Amino acid sequence: MKKQKVIDKIKDNPLYPLRHSTEHVMHMAVESLFPGAKKVMGPPIENGFYGDFDYEGKITEEDFPKIEERMRDIVEANLPILMRDAGFKELKEIFKDNPFKLEMIGEIEKDGGNPTVCEIGNKEGRYYDIDLCAGNHTGRTSSIGAFKLLSVAGAYWHGDEKNKMLTRIYATVFETQEELDEYLEMIEKAKERDHRNIAKEMELFFMDDEVGQGLPLWMPNGAFVRHKAMEFAFNTYLERGYLPVTTPHIASEALWSHSGHLDFYKDAMYNSFGIEDEQYRLKPMNCPMHIKIYNHRPRSYKELPFRTAEMGTVYRYEKSGVLQGLTRVRGFTQDDGHIMCTEEQLHDELMEAMDLTMFVLKTFGFDDFEVNLSVRDPENKEKYIGGDKDWDKAEEGLKLVLKNFGFEDYITDVGGAVFYGPKIDIKVSDAIGRKWQLSTIQVDFNLPSKFNMTYIDNSGDQKTPFMIHRALLGSLERFMGVYIEHTNGAFPVWMCPLQVQIIPIGDKHIEYAQKVSEKLKEKNIRVKIDDRSETMQAKIRDAQMQKIPYMFIIGDKEIENNGVSVRLRTEENLGLKPLDEVIEKIEKMYLTKSLNLW
Amino acid sequence: MKKQKVIDKIKDNPLYPLRHSTEHVMHMAVESLFPGAKKVMGPPIENGFYGDFDYEGKITEEDFPKIEERMRDIVEANLPILMRDAGFKELKEIFKDNPFKLEMIGEIEKDGGNPTVCEIGNKEGRYYDIDLCAGNHTGRTSSIGAFKLLSVAGAYWHGDEKNKMLTRIYATVFETQEELDEYLEMIEKAKERDHRNIAKEMELFFMDDEVGQGLPLWMPNGAFVRHKAMEFAFNTYLERGYLPVTTPHIASEALWSHSGHLDFYKDAMYNSFGIEDEQYRLKPMNCPMHIKIYNHRPRSYKELPFRTAEMGTVYRYEKSGVLQGLTRVRGFTQDDGHIMCTEEQLHDELMEAMDLTMFVLKTFGFDDFEVNLSVRDPENKEKYIGGDKDWDKAEEGLKLVLKNFGFEDYITDVGGAVFYGPKIDIKVSDAIGRKWQLSTIQVDFNLPSKFNMTYIDNSGDQKTPFMIHRALLGSLERFMGVYIEHTNGAFPVWMCPLQVQIIPIGDKHIEYAQKVSEKLKEKNIRVKIDDRSETMQAKIRDAQMQKIPYMFIIGDKEIENNGVSVRLRTEENLGLKPLDEVIEKIEKMYLTKSLNLW
C-alpha cells in the first residue's frame, strides 16, 4: 500500500510544538520588559508564529534585540513547560486584569469545555508564566531552537476594526541555527525577487486605484510575456486534441442557479446587476458555459473524449485586505479546459492531463513538484454537492492515476476538495525553494448530472459522461507572479519582448548595426538598436536592467570581422563571434524554447 | 475643392419620392380592398417603406397579389399626386373616423404647425385619396416604378405595447423592374447566407437563454476561425509597431466618471454592482485603461508615437428587441488600438492607420470600400465633449488624410460623430453587394486633456499628445457575422479548422491515408481521415457541407501512383495528383493567406 499523509498544514507541521512554545516564551519576554503589556493570543502560522499584546506604549523593531535577549535568557533558564487542568474560578482570578483572556474563558465555559493551562517555570523563580492553552509543546524552554523576531504590526482584536487595536509581533523559529539562517536568507532573496518590485523596474504591470484594486493593467513588456505564455499553452492544448471555445464573461443568474454556484460559491461571486428583467453576474468559472457547448446537440461516444480549451477570464471576490500583487487578484485568466469522456476513457484522460501538465510546467523550467490530493471532509458532507458513490469513485480514480504516474509521496488534504468534487493540485518549487500551487486536475460527478449531460454509447444507450476540469498554469496572473519571481525577471529567450539589444559604440557603427538588425529580423528575432548618445557602459547597464538576453556590441573590430561581440544579461562576455553563428544559435534557443542563453 | 455629400440616409435617398408615393398607393389599395381598414402612417425606411393600418380583420401574405394588382390599377390610372395647405377644421372633418390621424392633427395644432395634405386623383374618379402629408413625391402614380410587398407583421401604435396593435406591411420599390429583381435576388441570397443558419450547419456559435441574450458562445469550429482572425490581426499590429497591453473587463465608477462615460455614454453601459464600498461597471470601451498605461509614468517625445493594441472584450447595452445574431450583440471583442503622438506625427499616424486598415481588410478579401466621415452636428454642440477649436482641428485633420489617401467621394455624416470626437468609418461591400461598417479611425481631443496626458518635447516643455482610437475589424463578433455571410462559410484555407479531409475508399486504403496524413501534419496542415463506414459519396457530401477546402480521395489507383485524387469544396474535381505537388500547393496557399484554393 502507498504511504499517505493526512495533514493540517499548521497543526501537523513537525515544527508546531517548537513554534507554539517559542510563542509562550516571547509573551513572557514582552510582559517582563514592558510593564502593563498583556498577552492576548497568538497561534503558529505557516512559516512561524505571531503573538498579540495589549499595550498602551509602542513596541518597535528597535526593541527586537532586547526582546530576543530576554527570550534567550528564558531559554537558558531551561524551564519546564507543563500542562494541567484548571477550574473556571481559578482562571478568572488569574486573568482578572486581562479582559481578552476573560472573554476566552467565558466562551469555553459557555461551550461546556474543560480549560487547561500551560505553566512555564515556577512562581518563585525569576521567570514564571501561566496561560490559557490547549497544549502541544516542547518539554522545556531549552529545546525551542533558533528563533528570530521578524516584524511588528497593528491588529484588531478578532480582526474587527470596531475592537481595540493590539500590537502583533511576527516571528519564526527552527530546530537549528543553520535552518533559521537558511530561512532568513530565503526571505531576503524573496524580498529581492518580489514580483511587484521587478514588475516596477521592468514595466510589466501595475494596479490603479481608479480602475480598482486587484485588477492588474498589463503594460507592453508584461502583456507581451503573458501573451507568449498564453500562446504557448493554448497552441499546445490544440496540438494535443483540445477544441478551442470562447464564452462571455457574464451570464444570467439562471445559469449560476442551475449550476449550483449561487448555492455553493456565492461568497466568491460579485454582486448581480440587472439587464432588462434579468439579473446577471460576472463568471467566477467557465465550466457551465463549456457544458452548454457540449450540450448544444446530442453527442455520440465517437465524439468522446470531447476536450474544450479556453483562455477564460474569470472574476472572483477577494477581500481588499488580502489582495497581493499578482498572486491574489480579483480578475484572472485561466488556461481552462474540460474533458468529457466515457468511464473507460477516464483513466487515460487523467493520465494525459497529468502528462500535459508536466510537459507545460517543464517547458517553463519547473522540475520539482509537490502533489496534493484534496478529498472531501467526511465529517462535513453537507458542504459538498453529490452522492457518496460518486465521491468515492472520483477519489479512487485520482489515487490510481497518482500511483500509476509514480507520485508515491503525495499529500492527502482531507476537506480540501472543492464543493463539486475531489482534485489533484500540483505545486512547483521555484528558484529559491518556495512552493507555489499552479496546476489543478479535478474530477466532477456533479455538473454532468446537474446539466443532464449525456452521450449515446455504442449500443445506442444514453449515458452520462465523466467530466474533468483542468487548468495547468492555473491563473495566468498568479502564474506570471510566480514566474517573475522564479526567473527574477530574466525570462527565457522565447518569451522576451526584446531578445537582442544592438549597441553601436559610435555613430559610424550604426549603419552596420542596421544591417545586423535586418538579418535578425529575417529570422523573426526581436531586436532594437540603442542609438542614444550614451556611453557604451550606460547602454549595457540599461539593457542588463531590462534583462534583455543578448547584447551585441559593435565597433570597428566587429565590422572588420563581420561579427558581433556578444554579452549576455548574466554579465558574461562571450567576445567576438561570427554573425551567422550567433544568429543560428539564438534562433535555435528561441525555436526550441530553451531555458539556456548559450 | 473636394466633392462632399451631406446626407440623411433615408430622406436624401434618391428613391425617397418613389418610396413615399408608392406607400400612398399601397394605402389606397388596402383601404379599397379591405372595408374598415384605416391608414395610420408609414415612412420610407432604408430599403423600401412600410405602411401601418388599423384593421379588425386579418391581412396575410396571401393577400399580397390582390393588393399588388389593385396598386398596379392605380398606377395605370396615372393619377396626379398633388400637395396643398389644409385648415385644421377641414382636416378634423376629413379624418373624423380615424383617431390616429386626429391625434397627429392635434399635435401639429399644438406645435403651431401649418398642416398640408396630399391628394391623389379626384373625388369623382374611381380612385381618390387624401392624406395628411409633408410632401416629396413623384408627380403622378404612373411614375412610381416597380414595387413589391415583402412581409406583414403586427406593430403597436407609437411602438408602445400598451397601445393598439396595428397591421404593418413592408414593401420595396425601385425605378425599374430590373433593379427590383436585382434587389429581390439579393434578399434571397442574403437569406441563404444568413450567418445564423450557416453557423448552425457548421457549428460555429449559438446563443443560450440561460447564459443570456446577445452573448454568443463560440463552438470549436467558430472559436477556431475567430481565433485565427484575431491572431492574424494582433500579430500584424505588433509587427507594425503596436505595443500589446491587457486590461480588465471591469472598473470602478471613479474611472467612468473621470473619463466622462457616465455622463455621455451611460445608456450603453450596464448597471453597476458593488464591491465593498465601491461601485463597478463592465467596460464599454478600453480607452481609459490604455490611457492609464500611457499615464503610468512621464513620457518623452522619444517614446511617441506610443501605439497600444488589445483584443479587448467590451460590453454594451442593446435592447433585447434589436439583438440579431452576431451583428447586434451585448458583448464583443474589439481589435482595439490607441495611438498617442505629437501634432507633427498626427498626419503620418492617420495615414499609417488607414494603410494598415486596407492591408488587413484586403487580406480577408474585401476590396470595395465606402468611406464615411462623421462630424459634429453644429446645431447640437451640447451633445459633445470638447471645444470648438479642438473639433475643427480634428475634423480638418481627418479630411486631409482622406484627401491624401485618394478617397475622393467619401460621405460626410453630419451629427454622426461620437461624443468625444469625429471619426472615419470604413464600410466593405460583401460578396452579394451589401455594405457593412467594420473599421473606424477616430481622433480624440477630449480624453488627453481629461486625463492630463502629457509628454516632454525636445525642448523640455510639457505638451499634450494627440490621441487616435482605431479598430480595424471593429467588433470581432460583428466581423465574423459579416465574414460568414461574405464567404458563405467557405473560409480561406489559412482560417479553416480542418484544411484537408482524407477519404479512403475502402478499409485497405486506410494505411496509406495515415501516411498521407502524417506528411500533411509535418507541414502543419490540419487534416482528418474520414474512416467511418459510409459510402465515398456520403463522405464527400459531409466534407462539402463542412466547407473543408480539400478532399483527398484514396483508392488503389492513388496508392499505385503515390498520389491523391483532389476534390475542392467548390465541387471541382482535380483528379489524380502527385502527393508532393499537392502538399506544396496547399502549404503555399496556407502560408500566403491566399484566398484561392488552387
Side-chain angles (χ1 to χ4, degrees):
Chain A
M1 274 300 290
K2 193 165 14 56
K3 173 174 102 189
Q4 269 192 34
K5 296 179 226 160
V6 180
I7 64 147
D8 173 311
K9 278 175 209 160
I10 291 161
K11 293 221 162 161
D12 294 337
N13 190 304
L15 293 175
Y16 186 94
L18 221 59
R19 288 169 175 171
H20 187 182
S21 305
T22 313
E23 177 209 323
H24 281 288
V25 172
M26 183 177 81
H27 276 139
M28 288 168 75
V30 171
E31 283 190 342
S32 79
L33 283 167
F34 300 90
K38 289 186 190 83
K39 63 192 170 224
V40 176
M41 53 88 71
I45 52 173
E46 206 182 339
N47 291 309
F49 62 91
Y50 67 77
D52 286 351
F53 300 90
D54 178 26
Y55 181 54
E56 295 307 314
K58 205 169 161 58
I59 299 176
T60 70
E61 294 196 10
E62 282 170 20
D63 298 315
F64 284 2
K66 193 167 63 179
I67 301 170
E68 284 170 344
E69 202 192 318
R70 181 61 52 91
M71 286 170 74
R72 272 190 293 273
D73 235 34
I74 297 167
V75 168
E76 274 159 27
N78 194 15
L79 308 174
I81 306 176
L82 297 169
M83 292 295 300
R84 68 168 172 83
D85 291 338
F88 287 108
K89 205 178 148 194
E90 180 196 358
L91 285 172
K92 286 176 192 170
E93 173 59 28
I94 296 170
F95 295 109
K96 62 178 188 288
D97 297 330
N98 189 326
F100 306 97
K101 295 285 177 192
L102 288 177
E103 185 183 323
M104 292 183 228
I105 295 160
E107 257 159 43
I108 299 171
E109 197 169 13
K110 210 178 76 191
D111 294 345
N114 297 309
T116 52
V117 292
C118 155
E119 280 190 279
I120 302 180
N122 59 66
K123 278 182 193 165
E124 291 71 37
R126 189 166 162 216
Y127 300 113
Y128 168 73
D129 187 60
I130 184 162
D131 201 356
L132 191 66
C133 179
N136 196 2
H137 301 110
T138 58
R140 305 187 76 89
T141 57
S142 60
S143 50
I144 65 168
F147 54 84
K148 178 140 187 73
L149 306 193
L150 297 175
S151 62
V152 60
Y156 294 107
W157 172 232
H158 289 321
D160 184 341
E161 60 185 29
K162 286 181 213 122
N163 292 335
K164 193 166 190 189
M165 169 81 88
L166 306 171
T167 300
R168 175 171 294 176
I169 298 176
Y170 287 93
T172 194
V173 59
F174 286 84
E175 281 179 7
T176 66
Q177 187 63 39
E178 204 185 339
E179 286 167 327
L180 176 64
D181 289 346
E182 222 168 69
Y183 176 73
L184 294 176
E185 199 188 323
M186 195 193 77
I187 292 183
E188 220 34 63
K189 274 193 200 159
K191 267 189 205 157
E192 279 168 27
R193 280 169 182 259
D194 188 316
H195 69 277
R196 290 167 296 187
N197 297 335
I198 297 172
K200 214 168 185 175
E201 266 172 33
M202 295 180 69
E203 303 202 328
L204 302 177
F205 77 93
F206 65 96
M207 310 280 180
D208 178 271
D209 279 345
E210 268 190 354
V211 172
Q213 295 179 68
L215 299 169
L217 290 127
W218 288 93
M219 289 185 275
N221 285 341
F224 189 93
V225 178
R226 181 180 177 278
H227 178 70
K228 281 286 156 193
M230 209 155 83
E231 187 180 60
F232 159 66
F234 195 62
N235 286 340
T236 302
Y237 303 155
L238 297 196
E239 275 164 28
R240 301 271 282 236
Y242 284 78
L243 302 169
V245 298
T246 302
T247 66
H249 301 98
I250 59 171
S252 89
E253 286 200 336
L255 185 73
W256 307 119
S257 164
H258 186 174
S259 66
H261 284 84
L262 280 183
D263 290 329
F264 291 86
Y265 206 69
K266 200 171 185 175
D267 291 348
M269 292 174 74
Y270 290 103
N271 288 323
S272 67
F273 55 94
I275 305 181
E276 289 172 4
D277 52 358
E278 284 176 307
Q279 290 295 311
Y280 281 73
R281 287 187 189 245
L282 284 168
K283 70 172 167 187
M285 294 190 190
N286 302 299
C287 350
M289 301 196 187
H290 289 204
I291 292 172
K292 284 284 176 184
I293 287 169
Y294 177 89
N295 274 357
H296 183 59
R297 65 164 169 75
R299 301 288 173 186
S300 146
Y301 70 97
K302 289 180 191 164
E303 291 182 82
L304 270 43
F306 185 94
R307 310 182 190 100
T308 60
E310 176 176 26
M311 292 294 164
T313 306
V314 296
Y315 289 85
R316 295 185 190 167
Y317 176 61
E318 298 276 2
K319 283 186 187 155
S320 53
V322 303
L323 295 171
Q324 198 183 28
L326 292 174
T327 45
R328 219 52 190 273
V329 290
R330 285 181 168 169
F332 55 89
T333 302
Q334 291 184 301
D335 62 325
D336 208 0
H338 294 89
I339 303 163
M340 273 58 83
C341 62
T342 67
E343 188 169 350
E344 296 72 38
Q345 291 165 340
L346 183 66
H347 177 70
D348 283 355
E349 288 304 313
L350 288 170
M351 289 290 284
E352 163 67 17
M354 185 66 93
D355 188 60
L356 188 54
T357 307
M358 291 297 123
F359 171 70
V360 168
L361 295 181
K362 282 177 181 168
T363 301
F364 285 105
F366 295 110
D367 48 17
D368 186 12
F369 308 104
E370 179 186 300
V371 179
N372 281 42
L373 174 67
S374 295
V375 297
R376 194 168 54 152
D377 176 1
E379 308 296 315
N380 279 300
K381 290 184 178 178
E382 74 286 355
K383 278 174 58 189
Y384 309 89
I385 281 182
D388 283 353
K389 198 177 135 247
D390 285 348
W391 274 87
D392 291 346
K393 211 182 216 171
E395 292 180 4
E396 287 312 312
L398 288 173
K399 281 179 197 166
L400 183 62
V401 165
L402 288 180
K403 187 184 165 194
N404 287 353
F405 217 85
F407 285 109
E408 292 297 328
D409 58 346
Y410 67 87
I411 294 164
T412 303
D413 182 358
V414 175
V418 197
F419 77 91
Y420 53 73
K423 59 173 180 167
I424 288 171
D425 291 326
I426 295 158
K427 290 183 184 177
V428 298
S429 296
D430 75 5
I432 58 171
R434 291 169 304 173
K435 289 192 169 70
W436 301 92
Q437 199 232 295
L438 296 180
S439 318
T440 186
I441 301 172
Q442 316 185 347
V443 178
D444 187 333
F445 288 87
N446 162 48
L447 289 177
S449 64
K450 224 173 177 77
F451 279 95
N452 285 319
M453 296 170 77
T454 58
Y455 68 94
I456 303 299
D457 76 3
N458 57 6
S459 3
D461 295 333
Q462 189 169 293
K463 289 209 170 155
T464 302
F466 280 52
M467 182 172 176
I468 304 165
H469 310 247
R470 60 11 118 246
L472 310 193
L473 302 178
S475 141
L476 250 294
E477 277 56 36
R478 193 182 147 77
F479 172 78
M480 284 298 295
V482 170
Y483 205 54
I484 292 166
E485 300 200 5
H486 176 64
T487 59
N488 209 358
F491 301 110
V493 178
W494 66 274
M495 298 181 87
C496 288
L498 203 53
Q499 294 166 321
V500 176
Q501 182 93 297
I502 301 181
I503 301 176
I505 294 174
D507 282 352
K508 62 177 173 168
H509 308 118
I510 289 180
E511 197 189 321
Y512 178 77
Q514 277 157 348
K515 272 186 210 153
V516 173
S517 166
E518 285 314 310
K519 277 204 164 188
L520 291 168
K521 280 180 186 167
E522 273 168 33
K523 297 289 182 184
N524 293 313
I525 295 170
R526 297 182 287 274
V527 57
K528 226 178 199 168
I529 301 171
D530 186 351
D531 56 5
R532 295 174 302 161
S533 50
E534 300 280 347
T535 64
M536 186 179 80
Q537 286 69 25
K539 289 179 184 183
I540 289 174
R541 207 170 42 237
D542 287 350
Q544 219 121 252
M545 201 155 91
Q546 289 176 64
K547 312 260 165 77
I548 300 167
Y550 307 98
M551 283 151 262
F552 288 1
I553 317 292
I554 288 174
D556 291 340
K557 186 181 65 175
E558 284 77 14
I559 295 175
E560 242 164 63
N561 290 283
N562 196 27
V564 291
S565 283
V566 181
R567 280 183 69 103
L568 306 182
R569 64 181 167 205
T570 54
E571 301 191 21
E572 206 176 336
N573 192 341
L574 301 181
L576 182 64
K577 298 266 175 197
L579 183 58
D580 289 342
E581 185 194 317
V582 172
I583 292 180
E584 199 183 318
K585 193 104 183 175
I586 296 179
E587 196 192 6
K588 200 181 139 201
M589 294 295 162
Y590 173 37
L591 292 177
T592 61
K593 298 199 167 55
S594 171
L595 299 165
N596 301 320
L597 289 181
W598 203 251
Chain B
M1 273 299 288
K2 195 167 9 57
K3 172 174 101 188
Q4 272 193 33
K5 296 178 225 160
V6 181
I7 63 148
D8 174 310
K9 276 173 209 161
I10 291 160
K11 294 225 164 160
D12 295 337
N13 190 305
L15 291 177
Y16 186 93
L18 220 57
R19 288 169 175 170
H20 187 183
S21 305
T22 312
E23 177 209 324
H24 281 288
V25 172
M26 185 177 80
H27 277 139
M28 288 169 76
V30 170
E31 283 191 340
S32 79
L33 283 166
F34 299 91
K38 289 187 189 83
K39 62 191 171 224
V40 177
M41 53 87 71
I45 53 174
E46 203 180 342
N47 290 309
F49 62 90
Y50 66 77
D52 285 351
F53 300 90
D54 179 26
Y55 181 54
E56 295 308 314
K58 204 170 162 59
I59 299 176
T60 70
E61 293 195 9
E62 282 169 20
D63 298 315
F64 284 3
K66 193 165 63 179
I67 301 171
E68 285 171 343
E69 201 191 318
R70 180 60 53 92
M71 287 171 73
R72 272 189 293 273
D73 234 35
I74 298 167
V75 167
E76 274 159 27
N78 195 15
L79 306 174
I81 306 176
L82 296 169
M83 292 296 300
R84 68 168 174 84
D85 292 338
F88 287 106
K89 205 179 149 194
E90 180 196 357
L91 286 172
K92 286 175 191 168
E93 174 57 27
I94 295 170
F95 294 107
K96 63 176 185 292
D97 296 330
N98 189 328
F100 306 98
K101 294 286 176 191
L102 288 177
E103 186 184 323
M104 291 182 228
I105 294 160
E107 257 160 43
I108 299 171
E109 196 169 11
K110 209 179 77 191
D111 294 345
N114 296 310
T116 52
V117 290
C118 154
E119 279 189 283
I120 302 181
N122 61 65
K123 278 183 195 166
E124 291 71 35
R126 191 167 160 215
Y127 299 113
Y128 168 73
D129 187 60
I130 184 161
D131 202 356
L132 192 67
C133 179
N136 196 2
H137 300 111
T138 57
R140 304 187 75 88
T141 58
S142 61
S143 50
I144 65 169
F147 55 83
K148 179 142 184 73
L149 305 194
L150 298 174
S151 61
V152 59
Y156 294 105
W157 171 233
H158 290 319
D160 185 339
E161 60 186 28
K162 287 180 214 122
N163 293 335
K164 193 166 189 187
M165 169 81 88
L166 307 171
T167 300
R168 175 171 295 176
I169 298 176
Y170 287 93
T172 193
V173 58
F174 285 86
E175 280 179 9
T176 65
Q177 186 63 39
E178 204 185 337
E179 286 168 326
L180 175 64
D181 289 346
E182 221 169 68
Y183 176 73
L184 294 176
E185 200 188 321
M186 195 194 76
I187 293 183
E188 219 33 63
K189 274 193 199 157
K191 267 188 205 158
E192 277 168 30
R193 280 169 182 259
D194 187 316
H195 68 279
R196 292 167 295 187
N197 297 336
I198 296 172
K200 214 168 186 176
E201 265 172 35
M202 296 180 70
E203 305 202 325
L204 301 176
F205 77 92
F206 65 96
M207 311 280 180
D208 178 89
D209 279 345
E210 268 189 357
V211 172
Q213 296 179 69
L215 299 168
L217 291 126
W218 289 92
M219 289 186 275
N221 286 341
F224 190 94
V225 178
R226 181 180 177 277
H227 178 70
K228 280 286 156 192
M230 209 155 84
E231 188 181 60
F232 159 66
F234 195 62
N235 286 340
T236 301
Y237 304 155
L238 297 196
E239 275 164 29
R240 301 271 284 237
Y242 283 79
L243 302 169
V245 298
T246 302
T247 66
H249 301 99
I250 60 171
S252 89
E253 287 200 335
L255 184 73
W256 307 119
S257 164
H258 186 174
S259 66
H261 284 84
L262 280 183
D263 290 329
F264 291 87
Y265 206 69
K266 201 172 186 175
D267 290 348
M269 293 175 74
Y270 290 103
N271 288 323
S272 67
F273 56 93
I275 304 182
E276 290 171 2
D277 52 357
E278 284 176 308
Q279 289 295 310
Y280 281 72
R281 287 191 189 243
L282 283 169
K283 70 172 167 186
M285 293 190 190
N286 302 300
C287 351
M289 301 196 187
H290 289 205
I291 291 171
K292 285 282 176 185
I293 287 169
Y294 177 89
N295 273 358
H296 183 58
R297 64 165 169 78
R299 301 287 172 186
S300 146
Y301 70 97
K302 289 179 193 165
E303 292 182 82
L304 268 42
F306 186 94
R307 310 182 190 101
T308 59
E310 177 176 26
M311 294 293 164
T313 306
V314 296
Y315 288 85
R316 296 184 189 167
Y317 176 60
E318 297 276 3
K319 285 186 187 155
S320 53
V322 303
L323 294 171
Q324 198 182 29
L326 292 174
T327 44
R328 219 52 190 274
V329 290
R330 284 180 168 169
F332 54 89
T333 302
Q334 291 183 302
D335 61 325
D336 208 0
H338 294 88
I339 303 163
M340 274 57 84
C341 63
T342 68
E343 188 169 350
E344 295 72 38
Q345 291 166 339
L346 183 66
H347 177 71
D348 283 354
E349 288 303 312
L350 288 171
M351 290 291 282
E352 162 67 17
M354 187 66 92
D355 188 60
L356 188 54
T357 306
M358 291 297 125
F359 171 71
V360 168
L361 295 181
K362 282 178 181 167
T363 302
F364 285 105
F366 295 110
D367 49 17
D368 185 13
F369 308 104
E370 180 187 300
V371 180
N372 280 43
L373 174 67
S374 295
V375 298
R376 194 166 57 150
D377 175 1
E379 307 297 313
N380 279 300
K381 289 186 178 178
E382 74 286 356
K383 277 172 60 189
Y384 309 90
I385 281 182
D388 283 353
K389 198 177 135 244
D390 284 348
W391 275 86
D392 292 346
K393 211 183 215 171
E395 291 180 4
E396 287 312 312
L398 288 175
K399 281 179 198 167
L400 183 62
V401 165
L402 288 181
K403 187 184 164 194
N404 287 352
F405 218 83
F407 286 108
E408 291 298 327
D409 57 348
Y410 67 86
I411 293 163
T412 302
D413 181 359
V414 175
V418 197
F419 78 90
Y420 53 73
K423 59 174 180 167
I424 288 171
D425 291 325
I426 295 157
K427 289 183 187 179
V428 298
S429 296
D430 75 5
I432 59 170
R434 290 169 304 173
K435 290 194 167 69
W436 301 92
Q437 200 234 293
L438 297 181
S439 317
T440 186
I441 300 173
Q442 316 184 347
V443 178
D444 187 332
F445 287 88
N446 163 50
L447 289 177
S449 65
K450 221 170 180 78
F451 278 95
N452 285 319
M453 296 170 76
T454 59
Y455 68 93
I456 303 298
D457 76 3
N458 57 6
S459 3
D461 296 332
Q462 188 167 294
K463 290 210 170 155
T464 302
F466 280 51
M467 182 172 176
I468 304 165
H469 310 245
R470 63 6 121 247
L472 311 192
L473 302 178
S475 141
L476 251 293
E477 276 57 36
R478 193 181 147 77
F479 171 79
M480 283 297 295
V482 171
Y483 204 54
I484 291 166
E485 300 201 5
H486 176 66
T487 58
N488 209 359
F491 302 110
V493 178
W494 65 274
M495 299 181 86
C496 289
L498 204 53
Q499 294 165 322
V500 176
Q501 182 92 298
I502 301 181
I503 301 176
I505 294 174
D507 284 352
K508 61 176 174 171
H509 308 119
I510 289 180
E511 197 189 319
Y512 178 76
Q514 277 158 347
K515 272 186 211 153
V516 172
S517 166
E518 284 315 309
K519 277 204 164 187
L520 291 168
K521 279 180 186 167
E522 274 168 32
K523 297 290 183 184
N524 293 314
I525 296 170
R526 297 182 287 274
V527 58
K528 226 179 200 168
I529 301 171
D530 186 352
D531 57 4
R532 294 174 302 162
S533 50
E534 299 280 349
T535 63
M536 186 179 81
Q537 285 70 25
K539 290 179 183 181
I540 289 174
R541 207 169 44 236
D542 288 350
Q544 218 122 250
M545 201 155 94
Q546 289 177 64
K547 313 260 166 79
I548 300 167
Y550 306 98
M551 283 152 262
F552 288 1
I553 317 292
I554 288 173
D556 292 341
K557 188 181 64 177
E558 285 76 14
I559 297 176
E560 243 165 62
N561 291 283
N562 196 28
V564 289
S565 283
V566 181
R567 279 183 69 105
L568 306 181
R569 65 180 166 204
T570 54
E571 302 191 20
E572 206 176 335
N573 192 340
L574 301 180
L576 182 64
K577 298 266 175 195
L579 183 58
D580 289 342
E581 186 195 316
V582 172
I583 292 181
E584 200 183 316
K585 192 106 185 175
I586 296 179
E587 196 191 7
K588 200 182 140 199
M589 293 294 161
Y590 172 39
L591 292 176
T592 61
K593 297 199 168 55
S594 170
L595 298 165
N596 301 321
L597 290 180
W598 203 253

